[in-house]
């Protein structure tokens, strides 16, 4: 697979930072990289994505420092030996189903002091409660396709959430929404996944949010283990956003590119001018080939 714009761009940028962890981290490399761009510092599994979204939507005030979490409706696939989290993006939850289930679920969450709010994405709710501040949860990108037991929160503080999850499974089993879904031949919504937990400091939203472009086409194909789609997404990315980034570099802009995988992220920035840049370019062609090979 040839990606001419990416190859050219990597020849002109230099590796500025590498973030290498392992596959046991709850926050995957692409989420850690975006958090750094936004100036958010958080422990593993505690990047406050829900609090950030609530702030952007105007649900939470700038002075709000309470914990938030993302509740994602999903399908748990029950096997002989374990229960696996299915990909929520492929089960076709519409806005009407999401709203109906939210109203049915609200009293159960409120009994545990959790306030639910809809989000613009069907099947995805924002939840506010003190319990979410400091509670480490696994990104849904980590958990999709894996046994639930491997990624569910194990802390003592999560015990009420596990009970709530059991209650929700029984509630969802009785919902007319799932009868209608069965008639359409789509998977039932039988549980939820909690992620993006944490609290934001009382401060304005990070300005970098307006300057960072996040490309998710590769992520979707990778989660679905779709090799053909992944290759097509790379080609489209190379002809689109990468080509635009290369054009910005050519015009003299101070650009950066971050490539992320399951275990690591690498950030590339504009090289220094002058003799040091010339000397470094002697090794760039080999380095670019190695980077593309590793992807």
């Amino acid at each position: 697979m040839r990606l001419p714009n990416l190859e050219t761009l990597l020849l002109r940028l230099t590796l500025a930072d590498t973030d290498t962890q392992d596959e046991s981290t709850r926050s995957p490399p692409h989420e850690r990289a975006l958090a750094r761009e936004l100036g958010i510092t958080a422990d593993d599994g505690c990047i406050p994505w829900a609090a950030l979204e609530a702030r952007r939507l105007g649900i939470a005030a700038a002075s709000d420092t309470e914990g938030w979490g993302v509740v994602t409706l999903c399908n748990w696939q029950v096997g002989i030996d374990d229960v696996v989290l299915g990909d929520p993006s492929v089960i076709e939850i519409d806005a009407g189903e999401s709203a109906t289930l939210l109203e049915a679920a609200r009293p159960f969450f409120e009994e545990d002091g959790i306030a639910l709010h809809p989000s613009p994405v069907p099947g995805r709710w924002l939840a506010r409660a003190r319990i979410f501040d400091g509670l480490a949860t696994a990104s849904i990108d980590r958990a999709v396709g894996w046994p639930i037991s491997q990624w569910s929160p194990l802390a003592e503080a999560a015990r009420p959430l596990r009970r709530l999850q059991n209650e929700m499974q029984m509630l969802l089993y009785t919902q007319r929404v799932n009868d209608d879904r069965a008639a359409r031949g789509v998977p039932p919504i039988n549980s939820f996944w909690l992620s993006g937990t944490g609290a934001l400091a009382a401060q304005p939203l990070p300005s970098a949010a307006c300057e960072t472009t996040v490309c998710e086409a590769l992520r979707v194909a990778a989660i679905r283990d779709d090799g053909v789609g992944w290759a097509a997404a790379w080609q489209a990315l190379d002809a689109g956003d990468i080509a635009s980034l290369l054009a910005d570099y050519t015009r003299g802009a101070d650009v950066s590119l971050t490539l992320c995988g399951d275990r690591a992220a690498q950030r590339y920035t504009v090289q220094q001018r002058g003799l040091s840049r010339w000397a470094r370019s002697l090794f760039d062609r080999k380095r670019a080939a190695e980077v593309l090979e590793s992807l």
Side-chain angles (χ1 to χ4, degrees), residues 2 10 29 58 85 93 97 125 144 165-166 179 181 184 211 226 228 276:
R2 295 303 306 275
L10 287 174
L85 177 63
I93 304 174
E97 291 173 333
W125 308 332
V144 165
Q165 206 158 44
N166 291 334
D179 294 336
R181 291 177 62 82
R184 300 203 315 267
E211 304 169 3
D226 178 6
V228 174
S276 61

Side-chain angles (χ1 to χ4, degrees), residues 35-99:
R36 284 194 299 273
E37 282 293 307
L38 297 175
I40 297 174
T41 302
D43 294 334
D44 182 44
C46 294
I47 303 175
W49 299 122
L52 181 62
E53 184 175 350
R55 188 86 62 84
R56 287 174 174 168
L57 292 173
I59 300 173
S63 58
D64 185 352
T65 59
E66 194 166 2
W68 289 77
V70 176
V71 176
T72 304
L73 298 176
C74 54
N75 172 255
W76 286 13
Q77 302 165 358
V78 181
I80 297 176
D81 299 321
D82 51 40
V83 180
V84 173
L85 177 63
D87 183 359
S89 67
V90 301
I91 60 176
E92 302 176 20
I93 304 174
D94 63 37
E97 291 173 333
S98 183

